[in-house]
Structure formats: structure tokens, C-alpha cells
Amino acid sequence: MTDPTSLLLLCRPGFEKECLAEITQVAAEHGHYGWAQPEADSGWLQFHTEQASRLYAELPALVFTREAWPVLAHLDALPASDRTRPIADALQDQPAAGQLFCDTAEGDAYRGTARFAGKFVHPLRQALRQQNLLTPKDRADLPAWHALFLDSSRVLLGRDNPAHRPRWPMGVARLRFPPQAPSRSTLKLEEALHIFLGDTWRQQLQQSFTAADLGAAPGGWTWQLVKQGLQVQAIDNGPMDDDLMASGQVEHLRVDGFTWVPEHPVDWLVCDMVESPARVAERMLDWLTAGWCRNAVFNLKLPMKKRWQTWQDIEQRLHARLSGASRNWQIQARQLYFDRAEITVCIRPGT
Ligand SMILES: C[S@@+](CC[C@H](N)C(=O)[O-])C[C@H]1O[C@@H](n2cnc3c(N)ncnc32)[C@H](O)[C@@H]1O
């Protein structure tokens, strides 16, 4: 089999242009050039580039890509009588993988295909095991096969590297809404903590004591922090959830999140204010550079147009202001599964 000449990238439907702009820029920074013709709202794109495997190996964490892998084959006419054989044939000269994922892109248009892929994974797994193309038991530490179905007769096949695999398959966060939480936004902060802090995020938060939540009402984000034992100052003119206030761990201040300053530095600053992203970012930088908080997680609502450019300008600003500070900072950003037209940023002391 020849070297892959494209990468498959999954993103939030509607963000294909941002996904393409980002991969084009990252590829260029690593000396690779490529192109794609994404279909609007499809939730995926195929980035054609020489040496796709090398680019894949060099990929940093991306903001607008949920998952990426090099494409090994694109099969266009799977016969309904036996779809497994052409797939196994296409993978024949590859070493065995440890898992198989049968995927579809996200969205209503793929609902039927998603049902098909969910069932088809079983016979395909069996067929690949018979051909020694899959280990007898699932092994998460080995590369995995990916079969992305566009419909039941068209599939893109690839092989990932476990180090590049997202926390959840296809980057679709599997988190259940906790019924006691005051708002669905709570899932956004929970996903952010999983992604940016890793699986030990609860323990890491439990080692902290205080937090400030700007734009806190009704309290979905505050609730996550309270649950880990933190004392939270919740800043919002709107009302906070009564049960959350009854915890005794929340001080609700009806003041402006853009001018309020804490009396003592806090361990965590979180911010979900619906405001211009540049203004929110500047305020976060004020907090970090003044030492009013040690860590920050904040959401940036992206405008309708020039979303990529907006993030580029803000990212530059973050680097510019933080590079002048006396300590190193780690900046992570991601369009989370629970983010809509927005991205979430985490800034913590670097090593
Ligand atoms: C998306 S909601 C926050 C939801 C919250 N994170 C949760 O999980 O329940 C945005 C909040 O920001 C607040 N907000 C907007 N501008 C603000 C400002 N200048 N100061 C304080 N709060 C503000 C709004 O009142 C609103 O409650």
C-alpha cells in the first residue's frame, strides 16, 4: 500500500471552513501544503497532502478538529451482498490493529448511516479478526482502524495513533447531564476540565480552594466547582439557583464581571459571559497578569463571520501579553463538543 495522501478531519458541522483554515496553517508551519473541498455543514473534510502520515505524526492539539487520521483507502461501491471483504482486502498488508471504530459524521443527514455503522461494526470486527487484522481482544494501546461511512456503500478507511486519539471516539463527549445541576452549560465546563486537565481533573480541583465565576447565573459552572469542594464567588446580575446557594459554598455578587476584582487571589477563574471575545480575553489577561487567579477557563463566543481570524487575533494577543509575564503559561483551546459557535480556552502555569 502506498503512503496516505490525505487526512480525514472531523469537526462540528458548520465549522468546516475553520477546520480547513487551521489545518492549512498548521500544515504550512510544518512544511506541508494541501487542499480540501469541504461540503458545508458536513462535519468532515479530507485534506489532501503529500506525506499525510508525517503531517499526522507532527499534529499539535487542534482547536477546530475533533479527530484526525490518515486515509488509507476510499471505497466507493461496497456491494450490499458482502461489504466486509473489500474492506478487509484494502487493509490486507497492514499490521493488526487493536480496535475498530465504525463512524459517521455528525448531523441529521447521517442518522440512517449512523444506525447502519452501529450495526455493521460487529460483522466487520469479526471479518478483520479472521484475517488477523485485529487483535483477538480490544487493545487501546495499539493503533485502531477507522471506517467513516458516508453512506452504506461509501467508506473512508484509516488507521490512527493512540497518542492522537481523542478522549471520546470522534471527539463526541459522552457526559450525562447531572439532574441537580442548574443549567446544561455545566456539561461544557465538565468537558473542558476533562480535555484540558485530563482524567484526574477532579483530584486536581480538590487540591484547590477558591474560584471566581464571571457570568455565573444560574450556576451550571459554579455547581461543578462547588461539587469538588471549592468556595466560589459567583458574579452575575441574574439569579443563582437556590439549591446551589444553600450549599453555603457560594457568595453571589451582583456586580459587573468586567470591573470586579477579588479581594484575595483565587485558584481558578472561570468565565462564561456572553460578550465580545476580544473583550473577554483582555479581561482574562488582566486577571492572569495581575496574579488575581492562578488558572483560568473561559469561553469565547465567536462572531458569525471571520471566526478563524478572530481566534487568530486573540491567540496572538494571549501570547503577546503572557510572554511579558514573569512566569511561563500553558495555553490550550478547543471547540468542545458541548460548545456551539464558541471555543473554550484554558490557561495554566506552564512547566
Ligand atoms: C451563558 S450565561 C452563563 C451560564 C452559566 N455559566 C451556567 O453554567 O449556568 C451568561 C451569563 O453572563 C452574565 N453576564 C453577561 N455580562 C455580564 C457582566 N458584564 N457581568 C456579569 N455577568 C454578566 C449574564 O447575566 C448571564 O447570566
Side-chain angles (χ1 to χ4, degrees):
M1 191 173 285
T2 52
D3 268 355
T5 55
S6 65
L7 286 184
L8 184 284
L9 303 169
L10 293 170
C11 64
R12 181 178 180 82
F15 282 78
E16 298 77 17
K17 269 201 246 162
E18 289 73 21
C19 180
L20 177 56
E22 183 176 29
I23 189 68
T24 304
Q25 178 168 313
V26 168
E29 283 164 6
H30 287 84
H32 302 274
Y33 298 91
W35 60 275
Q37 280 183 311
E39 200 182 302
D41 298 321
S42 64
W44 67 281
L45 61 89
Q46 194 174 357
F47 185 69
H48 299 271
T49 180
E50 297 289 319
Q51 300 182 313
S53 295
R54 245 186 68 197
L55 172 58
Y56 177 61
E58 293 162 353
L59 276 186
L62 297 170
V63 180
F64 290 99
T65 292
R66 289 180 176 173
E67 176 160 46
W69 35 262
V71 177
L72 295 171
H74 185 167
L75 306 182
D76 248 343
L78 294 175
S81 54
D82 184 5
R83 296 183 176 91
T84 59
R85 181 184 294 266
I87 294 178
D89 287 351
L91 304 177
Q92 208 44 249
D93 51 1
Q94 296 277 333
Q99 284 179 89
L100 166 69
F101 295 99
C102 280
D103 309 325
T104 52
E106 193 188 328
D108 286 348
Y110 294 101
R111 219 164 254 174
T113 310
R115 268 196 301 275
F116 159 79
K119 287 187 194 153
F120 185 66
V121 68
H122 305 292
L124 182 56
R125 190 181 287 127
Q126 225 171 357
L128 296 180
R129 286 214 164 111
Q130 273 165 11
Q131 304 272 330
N132 294 325
L133 286 166
L134 258 184
T135 50
K137 285 199 172 154
D138 274 4
R139 294 258 316 260
D141 58 319
L142 293 180
W145 298 126
H146 288 264
L148 183 90
F149 285 90
L150 307 179
D151 56 42
S152 58
S153 66
R154 294 185 299 150
V155 68
L156 291 157
L157 300 174
R159 182 184 171 87
D160 75 7
N161 172 339
H164 286 252
R165 199 173 295 152
R167 167 72 178 73
W168 291 277
M170 302 171 72
V172 174
R174 305 255 161 85
L175 294 174
R176 214 174 279 156
F177 174 62
Q180 321 85 329
S183 72
R184 284 197 70 76
S185 284
T186 200
L187 293 172
K188 210 184 294 178
L189 184 60
E190 185 174 351
E191 182 185 1
L193 293 166
H194 267 288
I195 296 288
F196 298 133
L197 272 62
D199 289 342
T200 60
W201 69 267
R202 287 190 179 83
Q203 291 90 309
Q204 293 182 53
L205 279 190
Q206 284 158 15
Q207 287 163 9
S208 319
F209 302 99
T210 54
D213 183 353
L214 307 183
W221 286 31
T222 294
W223 183 86
Q224 289 289 349
L225 301 166
V226 162
K227 229 177 135 225
Q228 305 316 321
L230 277 76
Q231 295 288 332
V232 184
Q233 289 177 295
I235 311 304
D236 205 306
N237 269 320
M240 293 293 286
D241 178 79
D242 289 340
D243 289 346
L244 185 57
M245 293 308 298
S247 68
Q249 287 169 245
V250 183
E251 182 187 4
H252 181 194
L253 300 170
R254 293 178 189 272
V255 290
D256 182 2
F258 283 100
T259 52
W260 179 75
V261 173
E263 224 168 278
H264 305 285
V266 295
D267 295 315
W268 287 88
L269 167 66
V270 299
C271 172
D272 192 21
M273 290 191 286
V274 182
E275 250 293 345
S276 121
R279 189 168 179 224
V280 169
E282 288 300 334
R283 193 60 187 157
M284 299 298 102
L285 286 164
D286 292 343
W287 276 67
L288 289 158
T289 53
W292 301 334
C293 66
R294 295 188 180 85
N295 307 275
V297 176
F298 53 98
N299 195 265
L300 299 175
K301 320 287 170 192
L302 296 175
M304 287 294 284
K305 289 190 180 158
K306 297 194 176 171
R307 293 157 165 168
W308 170 246
Q309 193 53 49
T310 299
W311 166 237
Q312 285 294 275
D313 294 346
I314 291 176
E315 192 185 18
Q316 260 182 25
R317 211 37 215 151
L318 297 179
H319 283 289
R321 273 190 73 185
L322 292 176
S323 66
S326 54
R327 64 199 306 179
N328 281 334
W329 294 97
Q330 180 193 27
I331 304 172
Q332 296 165 281
R334 175 76 67 89
Q335 184 174 40
L336 302 169
Y337 174 69
F338 286 108
D339 277 337
R340 292 165 187 254
E342 55 200 343
I343 60 173
T344 303
V345 182
C346 177
I347 303 182
R348 289 191 295 155
T351 44

